[in-house]
Amino acid sequence: MSQQRLIRVRPTKIELIRLKRRLSLAKRVHSIVKDRLLILTMEFLQVAKENVELRERLVEKMGEAYRALGLALGQHGSEQLDRECLVAERDLKISASTKNVMGVRCPMLEAEGIRRRASERGYSLFDTSAYLDEAARLFEESLEIMVELGEMKKTLDLLGFEIGRAKRITNALEHILIPRIMASIKYLQMKFEEREREEKVRLKRLKIILSRR
Amino acid sequence: MEAIDAHGEGIYERLRRELGILSSHLPRERKSLRQLLAEGRPHVICNDGTAHHFKRRELEYLAGILGADEADGLLLPILIELTPSSSEASIALSSGAELKVVRRALGMEPTVRNGRIILYRPQVAALRRALRTSTQYSLAIGAMGTG
């Protein structure tokens, strides 16, 4: 029963003021973290939805790309295809930076020049068919989706982690810290009332003693 | 009742830090679309000192919506002010550019009230989807607890 526990403080007025300030801070943080949690959850759901859509698009695109590659393979044979693919090989330029979503630093990936025209790919346009062009185009499009999906996946992980952290904070505040401070304030107030009563009784007794003399 | 020694100032210090996180993602200074388009890696500096980068694709999309003269009027990121207790969000109108952008991104005429574009939750989602790096959330002050 964590609510029943008290914060060990000296029963002084200054401690009571300090506790009241802490309660105010805890309530304010609780309200704000809860609001932030709501926005983070909203963002998380949006990103999750996009993630699913991207994944579906990728599966579909890859399916089309492999079908096109199969046709190209049938047309040219594996040896020629390997040769042409070697020529088309290149390094990819992906720039990574960050974007800030409600205090969560998420990665941002931007791929440059993934899509190329058939003439830019480097293989011979005379010796190859349109099947290979189509397969290359579809794989390039898949690659673009993969980069986007990677960014989304990491964003989803980071948002999920932050949501968990914010949830833990709100739970700790709601179920432990705030009830504990409130109980301590109540305890101190009762202590002061008791002191006041004692003081009153003492004064009354003093009055009686003085009146007897 | 059991007493515990929770005098640790650390807890309260951490709580205070949580308040700081709330505005850490907001830009220190917003930049115009024209300025951002001229930068090699378009970005703004956030309150916590980190950089928030914009996707060039998004900036080009915005430039396609707005004319060259309007590109100066659109300050980025666009701040979507949210009140968690309400179903509405809003965007302050500093020029007509915001309205033009929102109209195109949503594919419909948004409600304008008291110099603000009023957005409903599904519209916020659609806008964020279209402009993920060019928009930022901000919590409305009225929604914050007063303690």
Side-chain angles (χ1 to χ4, degrees):
Chain A
M1 294 288 277
S2 55
Q3 289 96 320
Q4 295 300 309
R5 299 173 91 183
L6 290 175
I7 297 169
R8 191 178 293 149
V9 285
R10 278 174 293 135
T12 58
K13 290 268 182 191
I14 204 83
E15 284 294 349
L16 182 65
I17 293 168
R18 197 175 286 168
L19 277 179
K20 280 184 177 172
R21 267 192 211 144
R22 282 176 181 178
L23 181 66
S24 151
L25 172 72
K27 278 186 175 172
R28 191 176 159 82
V29 172
H30 178 249
S31 149
I32 285 171
V33 174
K34 225 173 167 182
D35 289 351
R36 187 165 169 262
L37 183 65
L38 208 83
I39 296 176
L40 282 173
T41 311
M42 208 168 87
E43 186 70 12
F44 180 83
L45 291 175
Q46 281 173 26
V47 174
K49 199 174 157 192
E50 258 178 78
N51 222 322
V52 171
E53 283 171 12
L54 273 177
R55 205 173 274 256
E56 281 171 1
R57 254 178 61 201
L58 180 65
V59 169
E60 197 182 315
K61 196 64 82 180
M62 289 293 275
E64 284 175 31
Y66 274 107
R67 265 194 300 278
L69 187 69
L71 288 172
L73 194 66
Q75 181 77 20
H76 304 293
S78 61
E79 250 178 61
Q80 193 195 346
L81 204 65
D82 282 348
R83 223 174 23 244
E84 302 296 352
C85 286
L86 266 176
V87 179
E89 219 176 68
R90 57 159 169 171
D91 288 330
L92 275 178
K93 260 191 195 169
I94 297 176
S95 61
S97 43
T98 54
K99 59 176 189 265
N100 204 323
V101 184
M102 283 306 287
V104 185
R105 282 180 70 192
C106 302
M108 197 184 82
L109 303 175
E110 264 187 310
E112 290 162 34
I114 287 187
R115 286 190 207 196
R116 293 181 294 183
R117 274 178 291 180
S119 57
E120 291 168 345
R121 290 191 187 115
Y123 54 73
S124 163
L125 291 177
F126 298 107
D127 299 336
T128 56
S129 68
Y131 292 125
L132 185 61
D133 296 343
E134 181 69 0
R137 184 185 64 81
L138 287 166
F139 274 113
E140 281 168 2
E141 284 176 14
S142 306
L143 203 56
E144 263 184 357
I145 300 172
M146 272 183 219
V147 173
E148 214 175 323
L149 190 63
E151 180 192 317
M152 284 288 170
K153 177 77 179 64
K154 189 68 192 163
T155 304
L156 199 68
D157 286 350
L158 291 167
L159 285 174
F161 179 78
E162 189 61 21
I163 286 171
R165 200 184 73 88
K167 251 186 193 165
R168 276 196 300 279
I169 292 173
T170 46
N171 284 342
L173 285 168
E174 204 172 317
H175 301 294
I176 298 172
L177 202 63
I178 292 176
R180 206 170 269 181
I181 299 173
M182 281 167 89
S184 303
I185 288 174
K186 204 176 163 190
Y187 170 73
L188 284 191
Q189 279 170 341
M190 275 162 57
K191 259 272 201 251
F192 294 143
E193 280 170 17
E194 202 179 314
R195 266 189 208 164
E196 220 171 286
R197 277 196 297 274
E198 276 175 12
E199 193 63 30
K200 266 187 190 166
V201 171
R202 201 176 297 127
L203 283 173
K204 268 188 185 174
R205 281 191 67 110
L206 203 67
K207 204 177 167 186
I208 292 166
I209 293 168
L210 285 174
S211 64
R212 273 184 195 158
R213 280 183 184 175
Chain B
M1 279 200 244
E2 187 190 343
I4 56 141
D5 192 15
H7 232 316
E9 289 294 319
I11 299 172
Y12 302 100
E13 207 38 61
R14 281 187 76 172
L15 291 183
R16 265 185 214 106
R17 239 179 284 150
E18 282 301 316
L19 293 178
I21 291 177
L22 196 70
S23 59
S24 63
H25 66 291
L26 296 176
R28 280 185 192 159
E29 196 184 2
R30 293 199 287 166
K31 289 182 184 170
S32 72
L33 176 60
R34 185 193 295 273
Q35 257 178 301
L36 289 168
L37 280 168
E39 287 180 13
R41 297 188 77 177
H43 71 282
V44 286
I45 302 294
C46 300
N47 279 336
D48 61 356
T50 59
H52 171 80
H53 288 85
F54 294 88
K55 282 207 168 169
R56 190 156 284 279
R57 198 178 56 206
E58 270 181 37
L59 297 179
E60 279 160 7
Y61 168 72
L62 290 172
I65 297 171
L66 303 170
D69 49 330
E70 286 170 310
D72 273 328
L74 182 69
L75 293 177
L76 294 173
I78 298 170
L79 297 178
I80 305 172
E81 209 171 275
L82 273 168
T83 312
S85 56
S86 157
S87 60
E88 286 178 1
S90 66
I91 295 172
L93 273 172
S94 58
S95 68
E98 285 96 349
L99 186 62
K100 216 169 168 182
V101 165
V102 173
R103 190 187 292 141
R104 177 69 75 85
L106 298 180
M108 63 187 289
E109 192 65 42
T111 315
V112 179
R113 201 190 300 149
N114 302 328
R116 303 187 82 84
I117 303 171
I118 307 297
L119 297 170
Y120 299 98
R121 286 284 162 87
Q123 290 177 321
V124 174
L127 188 64
R128 281 287 293 165
R129 194 190 166 102
L131 305 168
R132 197 164 285 285
T133 59
S134 311
T135 53
Q136 275 284 20
Y137 288 121
S138 82
L139 261 178
I141 300 293
M144 289 188 357
T146 51

